[in-house]
Amino acid sequence: MEPNLANLPWSDIAQLGAVGALAGLLMGLFGIAGGTVLVPALLAVLTVLYGIAPDQAIRIAVATSLGCIVVSTVAKLMAQKRLGTLRAGVVAQMLAPIAAGVTLAALASPHIPAQLLQRAFGVYLVLYLLYSVLRRADARVDAHVTLPAREARAVGLGIGFASWLLGIGGAFLSTPYLIRRGMTCKGANAAAPAVQLAVSIVGTLAYLCVPIHAAAPGLVGSVAMPLVLVLGVPAAAVSLLAERWGNALSVGTHKRAFEVLLLVVALKILLVP
């Protein structure tokens, strides 16, 4: 029987909405886009509940995750502008290279083992976690931090390339780089949504143009549009609340909470097949 993603039962909508809310919580507190929550959840839903083959489901999950990130990131940027915490300017020179990296990844993805890239990403998180634990939390003012132009463009290209393949918004890659370049954890997290929006918009457009073999009502290219709404709207709503909670945390508390999140995600990527 052909899976119908355009007519979801209320039980599925409620469960997926809760997953979207969790992604929004992480986004509001730590500036990440929630792809590390959304992709595994979508993969389980598509394979277990709708019987879509795993090789097809993973593409739909990644594509739909990026679509959800567009919705939630726009809400995040609006909240930042209202609260006066918008820091998009510091990463402006990275945005065009990020879009180029996403495009290159779309072309190269058939030739790159996704599992190899995921393991490399997990190792990267562990190394950054060690660096973060050893680095003392401080109260630096990062309003005047600037990035070396060539380095920022090269990093942006790499962020775009890896983010499209993994279905993430890029904050787990951009935030450590910005901290290493002198920003506080909060400042780096405040700059992350601009990176996420560049990744998610270009990535979603690419996936909208790439149909898959598993035709199903609700699919546009590789993106399950009903799931984008069911997940993305709760993520956007919760991220608006969590943005305020994140701003209320002290620098040290925010740093330790982010380190715990890094550890959980790194263990999940490296230890769970």
Side-chain angles (χ1 to χ4, degrees):
M1 182 177 179
E2 184 181 76
N4 188 353
L5 298 176
N7 187 21
L8 303 174
W10 284 107
S11 58
D12 290 1
I13 291 175
Q15 294 177 45
L16 290 168
V19 172
L22 175 59
L25 177 64
L26 296 176
M27 184 175 186
L29 289 177
F30 303 113
I32 69 168
T36 51
V37 174
L38 294 174
V39 172
L42 283 166
L43 184 58
V45 167
L46 294 169
T47 55
V48 176
L49 296 183
Y50 293 97
I52 297 176
D55 60 329
Q56 306 272 341
I58 186 60
R59 175 176 286 183
I60 299 174
V62 170
T64 304
S65 170
L66 289 173
C68 296
I69 291 170
V70 173
V71 177
S72 56
T73 301
V74 169
K76 171 83 171 181
L77 289 168
M78 292 173 63
Q80 284 185 318
K81 184 175 181 180
R82 187 175 64 253
L83 295 171
T85 59
L86 187 62
R87 296 297 308 277
V90 73
V91 295
Q93 60 189 329
M94 298 172 64
L95 301 184
I98 284 172
V102 171
T103 303
L104 288 174
L107 297 173
S109 59
H111 309 290
I112 300 176
Q115 189 175 29
L116 175 62
L117 189 62
Q118 290 173 356
R119 293 292 184 256
F121 182 50
V123 171
Y124 165 79
L125 290 181
V126 170
L127 292 176
Y128 177 72
L129 176 62
L130 292 175
Y131 164 76
S132 180
V133 169
L134 295 174
R135 180 181 59 86
R136 297 177 61 184
D138 55 45
R140 289 172 297 175
V141 177
D142 52 27
H144 302 293
V145 169
T146 57
L147 305 176
R150 290 185 179 179
E151 178 185 285
R153 294 187 186 107
V155 171
L157 188 69
I159 288 173
F161 190 88
S163 296
W164 192 85
L165 292 174
L166 294 172
I168 61 176
F172 267 130
L173 298 169
S174 65
T175 298
Y177 168 67
L178 294 174
I179 292 173
R180 183 69 182 85
R181 271 293 167 190
M183 297 187 74
T184 63
C185 189
K186 281 189 177 182
N189 290 341
V195 172
Q196 295 164 357
L197 191 62
V199 170
S200 58
I201 287 179
V202 180
T204 301
L205 289 174
Y207 273 118
L208 286 172
C209 299
V210 181
I212 63 171
H213 298 301
L219 278 180
V220 179
S222 301
V223 182
M225 296 304 295
L227 297 183
V228 169
L229 296 177
V230 170
L231 288 158
V233 172
V238 173
S239 71
L240 297 179
L241 297 174
E243 174 76 7
R244 295 181 180 273
W245 303 337
N247 288 331
L249 295 176
S250 68
V251 173
T253 301
H254 197 279
K255 174 178 177 291
R256 288 189 293 272
F258 189 62
E259 288 166 354
V260 171
L261 180 63
L262 285 175
L263 178 61
V264 171
V265 175
L267 290 176
K268 174 186 174 297
I269 290 174
L270 293 174
L271 301 180
V272 178

